[in-house]
Amino acid sequence: MNIDWEISPIDDITAEAFFALINKNREHIRKTFPGTLSGCDSFEKTQEFIAAANEKQAKREGHYFYIHHKEMETLIGYICVKNIDPRILRCELAYFIDEDFEGQGIITKAVSNTIAYCFNELLMNKIIICTSKENTASQRIATKHGFVKEGLLRKEFRSGEGSLEDICYFGLLKSDYK
């Protein structure tokens, strides 16, 4: 199935659209995006979440992209460039796709575009992806893009269920980027 989609910058996104995406996928992302879920558990909080993201982006502390399904005119995914360290030129990617659109290559292509943005526009030297040990789909996306598994960080992440979990740490250096 060929879906017509595009990545939209934060300026083009409404709180209504993002709240609808989060609400629809609440169970799907419950374990891996607890901060986003708690920041968007009501429409009012989602407005504040988007406003805070706008502030971070204005200060170059984070960059936010949204995957927009053109035909349906709805959001189907989210990519965040976060934990930017300007001293060592490192950032982290976090992403998810609407459960109904998994396995169609959309998030893979969107991550590819975001990697290029991080290296070419933000001039990063390293990009990391941290994922739970069970999230094999996210791990495949990392390795597909040339990320190397650099280690396992024990009890590093508090899941949406409140438990401390190990995470797999993947890194991609600009010198290894194709």
Side-chain angles (χ1 to χ4, degrees):
M1 176 191 241
N2 191 12
I3 295 174
D4 193 14
W5 60 275
E6 66 185 351
I7 295 179
S8 302
I10 196 167
D11 300 338
D12 295 341
I13 298 309
T14 64
E16 292 89 356
F18 193 61
F19 183 66
L21 174 67
I22 296 299
N23 238 11
K24 181 179 183 296
N25 288 278
R26 203 163 283 284
E27 186 58 30
H28 175 55
I29 63 173
R30 177 179 48 82
K31 286 182 76 174
T32 54
F33 277 82
T36 303
L37 285 179
S38 68
C40 298
D41 64 2
S42 70
F43 176 69
E44 292 74 22
K45 285 180 78 174
T46 303
Q47 289 175 305
E48 293 168 9
F49 184 90
I50 296 289
N54 274 322
E55 283 181 35
K56 286 181 185 175
Q57 189 154 308
K59 295 176 184 175
R60 299 184 56 85
E61 295 172 352
H63 298 268
Y64 305 87
F65 304 98
Y66 303 84
I67 304 168
H68 183 258
H69 189 293
K70 289 182 181 180
E71 185 178 312
M72 293 172 59
E73 296 184 359
T74 188
L75 291 183
I76 60 171
Y78 170 63
I79 299 180
C80 172
V81 179
K82 62 182 190 171
N83 296 327
I84 297 171
D85 188 333
R87 294 175 306 109
I88 59 173
L89 303 174
R90 184 192 67 220
C91 64
E92 179 181 352
L93 296 185
Y95 46 83
F96 75 86
I97 188 84
D98 184 308
E99 192 170 22
D100 294 340
F101 294 92
E102 282 185 322
Q104 299 179 31
I106 297 168
I107 200 71
T108 298
K109 178 65 176 160
V111 166
S112 181
N113 292 347
T114 307
I115 290 168
Y117 176 80
C118 290
F119 285 139
N120 300 326
E121 302 296 322
L122 300 180
L123 305 175
M124 292 288 117
N125 183 56
K126 183 175 185 176
I127 303 170
I128 63 170
I129 293 174
C130 295
T131 180
S132 74
K133 290 192 310 186
E134 293 79 31
N135 192 345
T136 56
S138 189
Q139 292 172 36
R140 276 193 307 276
I141 287 171
T143 56
K144 234 186 243 188
H145 287 91
F147 284 74
V148 174
K149 185 175 179 182
E150 296 182 351
L152 179 71
L153 303 176
R154 299 178 309 146
K155 306 296 182 202
E156 183 75 14
F157 178 75
R158 187 165 304 279
S159 77
E161 297 170 337
S163 62
L164 286 173
E165 295 186 8
D166 299 344
I167 59 170
C168 298
Y169 185 98
F170 292 86
L172 178 63
L173 297 174
K174 186 171 186 171
S175 59
D176 295 333
Y177 177 62
K178 298 173 187 166

